[in-house]
Amino acid sequence: MALQNSSTEYGLLSKILHWLMALIIITLIGVGIYMAELPRDTEEQKAYAFQFYGLHKSFGVLVMLLVVTRLLWLRVSPAPALPAVFAAGERKMVKGLHAILYVLMLLLPLSGYLMSNAGGYPIHFFGLGELPALIGKSKEFGEIAHEAHEVMGIAMLLLIVLHAAGAVKHRLKDKGGESDILKRML
Ligand code: HEM
Ligand code: HEM
């Protein structure tokens, strides 16, 4: 299988990036919601919760690096056009949804990063060291970034469901046919 995308098929690198990031992002949303609800009254509870925070932040920063790689790769190797059987309206919807997903893949980790900076909390990238704060401590900004992170997280979950449902719909309606775009990504 070719590394590059062709005019009708996604290549290996786009497929790896798509499915690896899908796995990480869906896990991050689940873990994010779980960890934010954890009690932290005792030292033990705090230590338990902060383990998840550390992993969530590292994988979140990894998403940031991967999405930049993915967007650069799209410039080198453009995505295949949608098959001609897609109506103009549907084409616009699919493209619009992809664009929103890219924006969320950038803004979600960025809001998480700035929220941690504003709260004065460190961000470690796995065991490799602490990352620099981009902004100083600010309670007000931290609250706004937190709210944005939460709302965008829920919105992204809904859009992922919509996105996956579209792929499954075309598979069920037209398995192996021209509009079955899931096969181009598998
Ligand atoms: C694509 C990447 C990411 C996704 C999908 C994601 C998703 C989520 C979600 C759904 C929550 C739960 C929201 C809530 O109930 O408050 C959450 C919480 C959190 N996220 Fe992320 N996140 C990402 C990246 C990051 C990054 C890069 C950081 C920091 C470097 C970060 C820091 C946090 C923190 C500190 C919380 C807990 C907030 C609290 O205590 O209420 N996240 N995340
Ligand atoms: C976190 C989860 C996901 C995100 C953020 C995501 C995002 C995206 C984006 C941005 C594209 C456009 C790629 C490009 O042309 O640049 C894409 C393509 C695609 N995704 Fe996802 N995706 C996710 C999960 C899934 C799941 C669970 C499925 C299937 C069940 C799926 C099926 C597809 C298919 C079939 C395409 C190719 C569409 C085409 O042929 O033009 N995705 N995805």
Side-chain angles (χ1 to χ4, degrees):
M1 189 193 296
L3 194 64
Q4 307 240 348
N5 300 328
S6 73
S7 59
T8 53
E9 277 275 342
Y10 282 98
L12 190 58
L13 186 58
S14 288
K15 288 180 186 174
I16 291 174
L17 284 168
H18 177 269
W19 293 111
L20 177 68
M21 290 182 70
L23 182 71
I24 298 175
I25 290 170
I26 292 167
T27 309
L28 278 174
I29 296 176
V31 169
I33 293 171
Y34 170 73
M35 72 186 196
E37 297 294 320
L38 286 172
R40 42 206 97 159
D41 303 323
T42 67
E43 287 306 312
E44 255 170 41
Q45 286 175 337
K46 268 190 199 155
Y48 179 76
F50 287 147
Q51 271 184 324
F52 288 101
Y53 275 66
L55 282 171
H56 181 92
K57 290 180 188 179
S58 290
F59 277 101
V61 171
L62 181 62
V63 166
M64 234 183 209
L65 300 177
L66 289 175
V67 75
V68 172
T69 310
R70 189 163 162 184
L71 289 169
L72 289 175
W73 178 241
L74 267 184
R75 303 205 61 105
V76 176
S77 177
L82 283 170
V85 288
F86 279 77
E90 197 173 9
R91 197 175 286 276
K92 273 205 183 114
M93 217 176 75
V94 172
K95 282 195 168 168
L97 185 53
H98 287 170
I100 298 172
L101 286 171
Y102 277 121
V103 169
L104 288 173
M105 282 188 268
L106 285 164
L107 291 187
L108 246 166
L110 184 65
S111 62
Y113 200 105
L114 296 178
M115 165 192 7
S116 296
N117 292 167
Y121 298 106
I123 302 170
H124 294 272
F125 188 59
F126 298 99
L128 298 176
E130 191 175 328
L131 300 175
L134 302 178
I135 55 165
K137 255 180 135 172
S138 155
K139 191 166 186 293
E140 296 76 46
F141 186 81
E143 276 164 14
I144 295 169
H146 186 178
E147 195 61 38
H149 196 67
E150 191 170 348
V151 170
M152 287 193 290
I154 305 298
M156 189 168 195
L157 185 59
L158 296 176
L159 294 176
I160 291 167
V161 171
L162 195 67
H163 171 71
V168 170
K169 181 188 90 177
H170 287 295
R171 155 90 7 152
L172 294 177
K173 255 178 42 185
D174 185 24
K175 185 166 195 286
E178 211 191 329
S179 73
D180 178 14
I181 45 173
L182 185 57
K183 70 172 194 278
R184 318 197 305 175
M185 193 44 105
L186 289 174

